[in-house]
């Protein structure tokens, strides 16, 4: 393979600079020789006193690495400002797959909180024991703080780094006591942390910034229809682009053709000396596709298919017969169906990964939510043992569920396998919108049996999220029947990914809109109606595998709703131009209630303010928790007011930010967030505030116009 | 061609005159603070200053910038407004994933240099070209307001 220099640089003036694309720039920094002690998978202490936190969870901007580092600093007695954070490579041997490593379902803090504290408490006790030996003082007189073990009897103190030689010879204590909340120095404080500092300087080490010696750059033109295949292609014009090295076909394996776990499409890869050359050449490819069976279908076919499925499948799981009987015998019913479109994650950092297939081993550098699963998949894909696959995880420029799936890493490996060089695979923005994996389209059918007073007696639900093992938690204490999960008989028109809040989004759009419709039928205030039901509801068991968390406590949800009612002056109507709607959501043992304020402006109705109250147990870092709620509200408003992915003849119709629109700063309402005081186990805050946004706004729209809108997105200005 | 980047002068040849400044900065000069996100000038992640004014580096051919002075986020220390913005970006904990923030900061710096005490509406209008998928807008607004106050006192 012939590589070409496309660029020469020399500095003007006195300094001399010579840069070539092929000079290795990622040389190791010069660090002083230090010995270290790594008593467990979360921590390394160097003899020069550097404490490194090894974060097993992915950092996507949700602040988990900051929160976990704070937990570690508190449990250890370390100086948070001096802790270095590293990201763990993919390893289910160390972390298990789903429990401690792969990041999804707002599980980062929830899953790691307990094992991290236990491991670090053991570390602390060993350090104290080592100090006791070194200083000749009793253990009971020693404590840790700011990176030292201190004696409470005299002024003696010894740095952690000076204890590691002794510490590394000591056995771990069998029992340790975790710190009491009143001993926390960092937990509970709004700390910006290292990522915020680095992001403000533009120096966060995303995988898109990785540069390795001899690295080449690749892009792929993918089949525009899922399930299609490549017939032939012409690359003569593309090969003329300066910097292009090679062009070849990408053929997914059977493993990669699964619409959920896989997602790699047939395509043509362009490899070049720089990103621009690869992108330019990609546009010059002439490809003939066999678009396959999905090219006969569009979004409307998915809708119609789900409707037909519903009409022919109404069975009810056995333990919901009670609700079904009430529904069957009721003379008065209320029905409503809710519809939400496909969506794209559209992370600001387009998908990308660097891979180096050496022939006998593979190393990848990527921002992935699933370093363990990625390693497992690459092992399966290449036939190499997992021990020969190294996944270096990088902070990502957004993930929102999309980076849980590793098709983009697998593609980089496929290309590097062919060229046997380090390859940076870049997705263009168009790739991330047109040929990606998507939040699925959904249709949800709700019905209720209504008594003579207009009050609901039982509910029935059939939709995308019901099914034997995937009941969404219903908090309101009424009998509910879950019917057979809807499915689209033609298979998946476009491949699926997770999208912030996942199935809770359509579930909540239906549930929280329908609760308002029921309140209206009962002639009750919709917020008061919810409070009354929650006040009488019992605890709902929640179980998933793996599951770290608690059952659903309706009284906690009720408390968030009461608080948001206060904040938003819900019960103090003074302003004729203000229209309010509410929602209350439980999501993986977090709770979030919301009020949307609508007003009328020169361009029609608009959202003027959003209020939210979250209960996520103990809030490790209130600044990050509030940021997640603020961001979730903007995510929810984008889905409600701006964007959707639509499919025509198997092809996604949107392509970039000019037609897949995101909410902009001038469209963003005022947002006010409160966190419930709690010392309960921390749960999650990345997603719980997404699902309630659409119903809260739609319920306010009903207040303003008397119209029920049950399909999103919508143009609020047209009302 | 000749270009000044963050105060340093460079002379070089481009093999492809169509190559946007973004890729010259990122792939050649390793100035990775400037980000690729849409490639069509819609999101602002690639915003830099050309002779003090904002430019979308993803759609600006480097060859069109002969003799110009380019400032990227890496050159922030030399710009008082930008340094002041960075301080408040940290104090208010603006970034989440951080990917769009270089562009946000470059746009905010240009806004404040033109209009040292913008109204809220002027900030919203001035920043509407920069997308953030994480949803940091309310904090961006707060940080720009605070910086304007800090610089005027």
């Amino acid at each position: 393979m012939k590589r070409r220099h496309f660029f020469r640089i020399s500095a003007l003036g006195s300094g001399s600079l010579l840069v070539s694309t092929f000079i290795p720039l990622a040389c190791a920094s010069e660090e002083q020789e230090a010995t270290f002690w790594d008593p467990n998978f979360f921590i390394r202490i160097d003899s020069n006193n550097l404490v490194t936190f090894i974060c097993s969870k992915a950092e996507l901007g949700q602040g988990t690495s900051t929160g976990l580092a704070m937990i570690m600093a508190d449990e250890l007695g370390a100086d948070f400002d001096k802790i270095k954070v590293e990201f763990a490579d993919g390893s289910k041997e160390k972390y298990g797959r789903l429990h401690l490593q792969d990041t999804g379902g707002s599980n980062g803090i929830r899953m790691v909180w307990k094992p991290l504290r236990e491991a670090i408490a053991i570390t602390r006790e060993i350090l104290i024991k080592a100090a006791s030996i070194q200083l000749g003082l009793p253990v009971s007189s020693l404590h840790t703080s700011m990176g030292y073990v201190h004696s409470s009897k005299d002024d003696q103190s010894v740095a952690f780094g000076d204890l590691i030689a002794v510490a590394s010879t000591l056995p771990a204590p069998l029992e340790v006591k975790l710190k009491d909340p009143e001993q926390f120095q960092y937990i509970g404080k709004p700390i910006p942390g290292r990522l915020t500092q680095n992001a403000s300087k533009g120096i966060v080490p995303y995988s898109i910034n990785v540069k390795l010696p001899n690295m080449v750059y690749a892009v792929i033109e993918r089949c525009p229809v899922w399930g299609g295949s490549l017939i032939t292609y012409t690359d003569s014009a593309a090969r003329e682009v300066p910097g292009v090295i090679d062009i070849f076909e990408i053929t997914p394996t059977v493993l990669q053709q699964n619409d959920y776990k896989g997602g790699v499409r047939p395509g043509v890869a362009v490899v070049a000396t720089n990103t621009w050359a690869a992108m330019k050449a990609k546009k010059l490819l002439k490809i003939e596709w066999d678009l396959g069976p999905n090219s006969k279908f569009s979004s409307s076919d998915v809708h119609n298919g789900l409707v037909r499925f519903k009409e022919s499948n109404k069975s009810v799981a056995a333990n919901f017969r009670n609700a079904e009987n009430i529904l069957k015998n009721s003379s008065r019913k209320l029905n409503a169906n809710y519809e939400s479109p496909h969506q794209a994650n559209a992370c600001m950092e387009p998908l990308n990964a660097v891979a180096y297939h050496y022939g006998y081993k593979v190393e990848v550098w990527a921002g992935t939510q699933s370093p363990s699963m990625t390693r497992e998949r690459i092992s399966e894909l290449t036939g190499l043992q997992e021990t020969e696959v190294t996944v270096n995880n990088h902070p990502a420029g957004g993930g929102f569920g999309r980076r849980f799936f590793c098709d983009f890493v697998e593609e980089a490996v496929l290309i590097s396998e062919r060229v046997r060089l380090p390859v940076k695979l870049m997705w263009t923005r168009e790739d991330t919108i047109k040929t990606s994996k998507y939040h699925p389209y959904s249709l949800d059918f709700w019905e209720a049996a209504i008594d003579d007073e207009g009050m609901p007696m039982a509910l029935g639900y059939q939709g995308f999220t019901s099914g034997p093992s995937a009941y969404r938690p219903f908090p309101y204490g009424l009998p509910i029947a879950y019917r057979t999960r809807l499915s689209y008989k033609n298979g998946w028109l476009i491949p699926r990914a997770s999208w912030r809040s996942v199935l809770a989004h359509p579930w909540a759009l239906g549930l929280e809109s329908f609760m308002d419709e029921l309140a209206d039928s009962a002639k009750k205030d919709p917020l008061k109606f919810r409070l009354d039901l929650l006040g009488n509801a019992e605890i709902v068991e929640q179980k998933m595998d793996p599951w770290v968390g608690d059952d659903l406590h309706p009284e906690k949800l009720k408390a968030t709703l009461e608080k948001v009612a206060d904040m938003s002056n819900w019960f103090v109507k003074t302003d004729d131009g203000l229209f309010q709607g509410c929602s209350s959501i439980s999501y993986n043992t977090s709770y979030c209630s919301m009020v949307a304020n609508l007003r009328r402006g020169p361009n029609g109705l608009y959202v003027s303010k959003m209020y939210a109250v979250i209960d996520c147990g103990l809030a490790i870092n209130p600044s990050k928790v509030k940021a997640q709620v603020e961001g979730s509200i903007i995510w929810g408003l984008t889905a409600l007011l701006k964007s959707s992915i639509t499919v025509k003849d198997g092809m996604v119709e949107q392509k970039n930010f000019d037609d897949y629109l995101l909410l902009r700063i001038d469209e963003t309402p005022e947002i006010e967030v409160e966190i419930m005081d709690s010392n309960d186990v921390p749960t999650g805050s990345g997603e719980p505030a997404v699902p309630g946004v659409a119903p809260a706004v739609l319920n306010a729209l009903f207040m303003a116009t008397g119209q029920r809108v049950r399909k999103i997105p919508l143009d609020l200005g047209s009302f | 061609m000749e270009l000044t980047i963050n105060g340093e002068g460079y002379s070089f040849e481009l093999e492809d005159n169509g190559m946007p400044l973004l890729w010259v900065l990122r792939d050649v000069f390793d100035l990775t603070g400037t980000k690729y996100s849409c490639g069509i000038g819609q999101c602002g992640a690639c915003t830099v200053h050309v002779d003090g004014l904002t430019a979308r580096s993803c759609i600006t051919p480097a060859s069109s910038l002969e003799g110009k002075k380019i400032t990227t986020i890496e050159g922030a220390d030399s710009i008082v407004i930008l340094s002041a913005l960075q301080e408040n970006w940290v104090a208010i904990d603006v970034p989440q994933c951080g990917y769009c923030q270089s562009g946000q900061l470059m746009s905010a710096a240009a806004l404040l240099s033109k209009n040292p005490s913008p109204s809220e509406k002027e900030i919203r209008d001035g920043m509407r070209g920069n997308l953030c998928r994480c949803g940091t807008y309310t904090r961006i607004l707060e940080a720009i307001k605070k910086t304007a106050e800090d610089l005027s006192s």
Side-chain angles (χ1 to χ4, degrees), chain A residues 350-478:
Chain A
L351 299 175
N352 67 86
V354 175
Y356 193 1
H357 194 308
Y358 292 77
Y360 58 95
K361 65 170 184 175
V362 172
E363 188 161 5
V364 302
W365 296 260
T368 163
Q369 291 176 241
S370 59
S372 297
M373 186 180 85
T374 300
R375 181 162 167 257
E376 194 177 284
R377 294 266 307 173
I378 291 170
S379 165
E380 284 179 321
L381 177 67
T382 57
L384 294 167
Q385 297 288 316
E386 278 188 49
T387 48
E388 303 304 329
V389 179
T390 306
V391 176
N392 300 292
N393 204 10
H394 285 250
F400 314 113
R402 179 61 182 87
R403 281 185 158 93
F404 198 91
F405 302 89
C406 52
D407 50 322
F408 59 103
V409 188
E410 295 171 27
E411 288 175 337
V413 172
L414 284 175
I415 297 170
S416 181
E417 183 172 23
R418 166 87 176 238
V419 301
R420 290 292 159 91
L421 286 170
V423 172
K424 182 192 282 183
L425 172 73
M426 276 296 309
W427 282 46
T428 65
R429 174 56 60 200
E430 287 79 4
D431 297 336
T432 72
I433 306 290
K434 282 185 80 67
T435 53
S436 188
K437 287 158 72 69
Y438 304 87
H439 175 63
Y441 173 95
S442 60
L443 192 55
D444 294 76
F445 297 85
W446 285 86
E447 68 175 313
I450 308 288
D451 71 12
D452 294 340
E453 314 283 300
M455 286 295 286
M457 298 182 289
L459 280 86
Y461 168 75
Q462 185 167 27
F464 195 74
T465 72
S466 61
S469 61
Y471 307 123
R472 293 289 114 184
F474 179 78
Y476 292 108
L478 295 166

Side-chain angles (χ1 to χ4, degrees), chain A residues 166-209:
Chain A
V166 175
S168 60
T169 65
L170 297 175
L174 294 175
E175 265 182 59
V176 286
K177 190 175 176 302
L178 302 183
K179 283 194 176 169
D180 292 325
E182 49 278 14
Q183 295 174 278
F184 293 153
Q185 185 182 349
Y186 302 110
I187 291 173
K189 297 215 169 69
I191 296 173
R194 197 65 45 79
L195 182 73
T196 285
Q197 292 163 3
N198 289 345
S200 303
K201 294 182 203 150
I203 57 169
V204 177
Y206 309 104
S207 62
I208 201 171
N209 296 349

Side-chain angles (χ1 to χ4, degrees), chain A residues 9-18, chain B residues 8-11:
Chain A
I9 302 172
S10 60
L12 294 175
S14 57
S16 75
L17 176 79
L18 185 69
Chain B
E8 190 92 22
Y10 299 95
S11 167

Side-chain angles (χ1 to χ4, degrees), chain B residues 13-85:
Chain B
E13 284 170 26
L14 279 171
E15 213 171 73
D16 181 346
N17 280 331
M19 188 190 252
L21 175 64
L22 171 67
W23 298 111
V24 174
L25 293 172
R26 287 187 57 83
D27 285 357
V28 181
F29 285 88
D30 293 310
L31 294 169
T32 53
T34 306
K35 299 301 193 298
Y36 165 71
S37 188
C38 74
I40 58 168
Q42 281 287 318
C43 78
C46 68
T47 304
V48 298
H49 292 182
V50 175
D51 289 347
L53 300 175
T54 55
R56 297 285 191 252
S57 66
C58 75
I59 50 169
T60 308
S63 59
S64 70
L65 300 171
E66 181 66 50
K68 304 269 190 193
K69 290 188 175 65
I70 313 298
T71 309
T72 70
I73 190 76
E74 287 87 353
D77 287 353
S78 64
I79 301 173
V80 175
I81 293 173
L82 201 41
S83 307
L85 282 163

Side-chain angles (χ1 to χ4, degrees), chain A residues 43-45 48-53 66 68-85 120 124 127 144-150 158-161 179 185-187 191 193-194 197:
Chain A
I43 187 170
R44 187 173 63 237
I45 301 176
N48 62 11
N49 297 327
L50 177 66
V51 175
T52 302
F53 169 56
T66 306
L68 292 174
M70 289 163 66
I71 294 167
M72 191 199 85
D74 263 338
E75 198 60 57
L76 186 64
D79 182 347
F80 174 80
D81 292 329
K82 293 185 179 155
I83 286 178
K84 184 180 164 195
V85 177
I120 299 303
R124 181 190 68 223
L127 286 167
T144 57
S145 168
M146 300 302 276
Y148 291 84
V149 179
H150 299 277
V158 50
F160 290 167
K179 283 194 176 169
Q185 185 182 349
Y186 302 110
I187 291 173
I191 296 173
R194 197 65 45 79
Q197 292 163 3

Side-chain angles (χ1 to χ4, degrees), chain A residues 5-12 17 19 25 60-61 192 195-197 199-202 206 208-209 211 217 242 274-276 279-280 344-346 348-350 396-398 400 426-429 623-624 626-628 630-631 634-635 638 656-658 662-666 668-669, chain B residues 2 8-16 18-20 23-24 26-30 32-33 35-38 40 42-43 45 73-74 86 89-102 105 123-125 127-141:
Chain A
H5 271 273
F6 73 106
F7 216 87
R8 291 198 313 272
I9 302 172
S10 60
L12 294 175
L17 176 79
V19 180
L25 290 154
L60 319 154
L195 182 73
T196 285
Q197 292 163 3
S200 303
K201 294 182 203 150
Y206 309 104
I208 201 171
N209 296 349
K211 193 167 195 176
Y217 299 78
N274 65 86
T275 318
W276 169 247
M279 286 181 175
K280 188 174 173 181
N345 292 69
M348 291 306 287
E349 181 191 9
F400 314 113
M426 276 296 309
W427 282 46
T428 65
R429 174 56 60 200
S623 174
K624 306 292 182 195
K626 284 188 178 176
Q628 286 308 295
E630 291 158 9
I634 288 166
W635 184 275
T638 292
N656 201 319
F657 289 141
D658 55 348
L662 306 183
L663 200 78
R664 291 182 182 269
I665 194 170
D666 59 336
T668 298
Chain B
E2 291 184 7
E8 190 92 22
Y10 299 95
S11 167
F12 55 91
E13 284 170 26
L14 279 171
E15 213 171 73
D16 181 346
M19 188 190 252
W23 298 111
V24 174
R26 287 187 57 83
D27 285 357
V28 181
F29 285 88
D30 293 310
T32 53
K35 299 301 193 298
Y36 165 71
S37 188
C38 74
I40 58 168
Q42 281 287 318
C43 78
I73 190 76
E74 287 87 353
Q86 285 175 316
W89 241 245
V90 173
I92 291 164
D93 199 6
V94 172
Q96 290 184 30
C97 84
Y99 192 79
C100 71
Q101 299 298 341
S102 304
L105 283 156
I123 300 175
R124 286 174 182 268
D125 290 345
M127 296 299 293
R128 82 173 306 282
N130 288 76
L131 289 175
C132 172
R133 185 60 157 152
C134 296
T136 62
Y137 296 135
T138 52
R139 294 190 189 202
I140 288 173
L141 204 56

